[in-house]
Amino acid sequence: MTSSGRADANRRRIEQVALAELLRDPDASMDQIARAAGVVRRTVYGHFPSRDALIAALVDSAVESVARAHASGRAGVTDPAEALARATLAVWEIADRYRLLVALAQRSVTMEGIRERLTPVREACAQALQRGLDEGVFRSPLPAAALAHVHEHTLFGLMEAVNTGALAADRAGRSAAVTMLISAGVTAERAVRLVDSLPSAPA
């Protein structure tokens, strides 16, 4: 393996270990992360000049995963309502993995920074919502771009509800999908029926 390949492998390992350590202990230091990763502190600082920089990198990785999940969830689905439900369920699987990181990242990255990183996902969501509005599947007094913001804030709110124990984690994905459909103007009855019919929906 080349030195560049080793450096990339080290960086990925540090990120993986850092995520696990920070989710276990939000106050984990760079020293703790280095020990857990089996490297010296200098190696960690060689990739990430500060703890905040490390957390920002983890958020970037999370956002990339969310974008891929959102795209794969709606890929090949012609019904806008089903596409929205599938995309939400796919995104929630990623969001649930990272929800404690989001709470932690607010200390350094800020919610504004996180939402700025999510701009491409929000724009894709707005396009999908616009298609549903155009086809009459969705009904909303809001334009698609504003509705996309509502959906994004709702997801963050649901993540916080799970973090605080207000919402059971094992039902949160289904609840998120139903909530997104209802907020887009789908009747509650149809929203529940649709989400329950999807293989990826929690039982």
Side-chain angles (χ1 to χ4, degrees):
M1 182 182 294
T2 65
S3 58
S4 175
R6 283 194 297 272
D8 289 343
N10 273 342
R11 181 185 176 94
R12 286 193 297 271
R13 171 163 173 72
I14 291 168
E15 286 189 5
Q16 291 169 355
V17 171
L19 178 62
E21 287 297 304
L22 288 168
L23 295 184
R24 183 183 61 79
D25 175 11
D27 296 316
S29 67
M30 295 289 265
D31 281 343
Q32 287 176 257
I33 292 168
R35 285 196 297 273
V39 298
V40 297
R41 186 174 65 169
R42 183 176 60 186
T43 300
V44 177
Y45 278 106
H47 292 287
F48 308 100
S50 68
R51 189 172 180 274
D52 284 353
L54 172 57
I55 292 172
L58 293 176
V59 170
D60 286 340
S61 295
V63 169
E64 290 174 6
S65 296
V66 165
R68 287 194 299 270
H70 189 269
S72 65
R74 66 181 194 279
V77 181
T78 57
D79 173 29
E82 182 180 343
L84 175 58
R86 287 184 178 275
T88 302
L89 288 167
V91 165
W92 186 263
E93 290 184 15
I94 305 300
D96 189 51
R97 188 185 314 160
Y98 289 108
R99 58 187 165 80
L100 294 176
L101 172 64
V102 171
L104 173 63
Q106 291 178 46
R107 304 180 190 176
S108 53
V109 180
T110 76
M111 283 307 295
E112 181 179 354
I114 294 171
R115 291 194 170 106
E116 182 179 349
R117 288 165 163 81
L118 284 168
T119 297
V121 179
R122 189 185 314 114
E123 291 174 347
C125 180
Q127 292 174 4
L129 289 169
Q130 186 63 60
R131 182 165 69 90
L133 291 168
D134 291 343
E135 295 179 12
V137 177
F138 301 148
R139 296 179 182 274
S140 175
L142 299 175
L147 190 55
H149 277 280
V150 171
H151 282 192
E152 182 180 303
H153 283 265
T154 300
L155 278 175
F156 279 119
L158 290 172
M159 291 167 69
E160 181 62 20
V162 175
N163 285 345
T164 61
L167 177 63
D170 62 347
R171 299 296 291 171
R174 176 188 177 281
S175 298
V178 171
T179 299
M180 294 304 173
L181 288 168
I182 293 173
S183 69
V186 177
T187 65
E189 182 181 2
R190 187 189 175 208
V192 171
R193 187 170 62 248
L194 173 57
V195 173
D196 283 347
S197 72
L198 298 178
S200 53

